[in-house]
Each structure stands twice: as structure tokens, then as C-alpha cells.
Amino acid sequence: MDEQISPDRLQGQLIAYTVLLEAVLRTLPAQSLKSIRSDFQTNGSEVEGHLLNTPGTEAMLDAYRSTVESTQELLTKIHQQAIFRDSAAGRL
């Protein structure tokens, strides 16, 4: 079966992926989230550096930067909630 990927289908898959990822991240302890945030920030900057040295459009780079920024915001929010949750439960 030859399936074609449409922008709407891809967007739907990305939304589903994001919802699943967020649900998994919310189950992790605050200390694990701290490490994940740090690693994500490092890796995001490293990948951006590689993208700057490869052929591609400015739109692609802008989309990548936007995705990294929104993911960092999400990780920060979830990490702060985990700190509060773990502190209230006496795990910090």
C-alpha cells in the first residue's frame, strides 16, 4: 500500500506525539526532569549549529528553533510542577 503523507496528517502525528511525551514526562521525578531539561538544551543548541552548516531553508531553521523553544518551555513548566509535587510528597 502506497500512502502519501499530507501536512494535516503529519501535524496530527506531531500533536499525538507531543501529548504522549508530555504524559510520560509528567510521571518522572523532578531530579530526572532537571537532567532531561539540561540535556535537551545542550542538544538543541548543538543540532542548531549543525543545521546552520547544512543546506536548507531559513524557514526550516525557524521551525526548528520554534519547536526547541516551545519544548523548553514545556519542560520548564513540567519540571516546576514536579518540584512542587515531589516537595509536597516529601521526596525532595
Side-chain angles (χ1 to χ4, degrees), residues 34-64:
K34 180 180 179 182
S35 177
I36 289 169
R37 279 182 62 209
S38 176
D39 290 346
F40 184 82
Q41 186 171 15
T42 300
N43 293 338
S45 297
E46 187 176 314
V47 170
E48 183 176 338
H50 290 296
L51 288 175
L52 288 170
N53 297 321
T54 60
T57 65
E58 189 66 31
M60 181 181 76
L61 187 57
D62 287 345
Y64 177 77

